[in-house]
Amino acid sequence: MMQEILMSQPVLLALTIGVYILAVWIRTKSKIMLLNPMLISVPIIITILWLGHVPAQHYIQSNAMISFMLGPCVVALGLTMYEQRMTIKTYLVPILSAVVVGSVVGILSVVALCNWLGLDKMMMLSLESKSVTVPIAMEVTKGIGGNTAITAISVALCGLFGGIFGPLILKILHISNPIAFGAAMGSGSHGIGTARALEIGAVEGAVSGLCIALMGVATAVLTPIANLILHIS
């Protein structure tokens, strides 16, 4: 009976939305930043699907509307950027510098860490684009010969870590400037980090949203160059 109900596409769509709303409510009421809505939602949904024997592919198809809306949601970030256009224009050079440095450090830190841990080249190539949004990260990984499945997981984990611990780390480092805060969140933890930045302030959210796009371009250009110089790919 449970499986029959869960196989309904409207039910699965309502399940996703309902669980996320519940997760947001839990985070809001508890005020515990560790309880990120995504971190709460994913295990609950996986457990329900497992108990109801619902195929993952069927669940994905049932939530196609949510996947489709991701595009307009990302475009909607442009409104926040437009509202903060004068601030962004004033600090454009520091923002661009932060993105380029962040991209280089992101790539080289993966290379150094993988060498230190003795991981193979495939793992290294798959992790290099961990700090950019999934669609760009997947294409970068395909281009350099990495494993896209590993990339997708690393991007999600990187976003979660940044969204949860990013504000705390920046606070410990006494980084309170909204431009620097937004650049760090967008460059390091893409969409999830930007969602957190938007909760903190309009300037932080606008800069973070801009840095998602800039970080994607920088990583797509610099990753093959870095691999060529380092003789990795």
Side-chain angles (χ1 to χ4, degrees):
M1 182 64 178
M2 180 180 178
Q3 184 178 18
E4 294 178 0
I5 295 174
L6 288 176
M7 288 301 290
S8 169
Q9 292 191 355
V11 169
L12 288 173
L13 179 59
L15 171 67
T16 303
I17 297 173
V19 169
Y20 184 78
I21 292 174
L22 173 64
V24 171
W25 180 83
I26 292 173
R27 206 280 299 276
T28 303
K29 288 295 183 180
S30 66
K31 296 181 180 179
I32 300 175
M33 290 300 104
L34 185 61
L35 297 178
N36 184 279
M38 184 175 173
L39 195 61
I40 299 174
S41 301
V42 172
I44 293 176
I45 292 175
I46 289 176
T47 301
I48 293 174
L49 297 181
W50 177 68
L51 292 174
H53 303 287
V54 179
Q57 190 59 41
H58 181 69
Y59 173 76
I60 293 172
Q61 293 174 353
S62 301
N63 286 271
M65 179 60 70
I66 295 177
S67 299
F68 171 78
M69 290 305 295
L70 287 175
C73 286
V74 172
V75 173
L77 288 172
L79 176 60
T80 305
M81 294 180 209
Y82 178 77
E83 292 174 343
Q84 302 296 328
R85 63 189 182 282
M86 295 309 297
T87 302
I88 291 175
K89 183 178 179 180
T90 302
Y91 294 97
L92 186 58
V93 172
I95 290 172
L96 290 173
S97 301
V99 168
V100 173
V101 172
S103 180
V104 171
V105 171
I107 296 168
L108 295 183
S109 63
V110 167
V111 174
L113 186 61
C114 287
N115 283 327
W116 182 51
L117 295 175
L119 301 179
D120 59 21
K121 186 176 77 171
M122 174 63 72
M123 183 65 72
M124 185 184 299
L125 295 174
S126 304
L127 294 175
E128 285 179 337
S129 56
K130 69 185 186 326
S131 297
V132 302
T133 188
V134 171
I136 298 176
M138 300 279 272
E139 290 302 317
V140 172
T141 298
K142 287 179 184 177
I144 60 178
N147 186 311
T148 55
I150 296 174
T151 300
I153 294 172
S154 67
V155 169
L157 292 176
C158 187
L160 272 175
F161 183 87
I164 294 172
F165 298 107
L168 177 61
I169 293 173
L170 292 173
K171 183 178 180 180
I172 292 173
L173 295 175
H174 301 290
I175 297 175
S176 57
N177 182 284
I179 303 297
F181 186 99
M185 295 297 285
S187 298
S189 49
H190 44 84
I192 299 177
T194 298
R196 184 73 185 94
L198 283 167
E199 293 178 1
I200 295 173
V203 175
E204 290 88 341
V207 174
S208 184
L210 175 62
C211 286
I212 292 179
L214 295 177
M215 188 69 172
V217 174
T219 301
V221 172
L222 295 175
T223 300
I225 295 175
N227 288 338
L228 182 63
I229 294 173
L230 297 173
H231 305 289
I232 295 175
S233 58

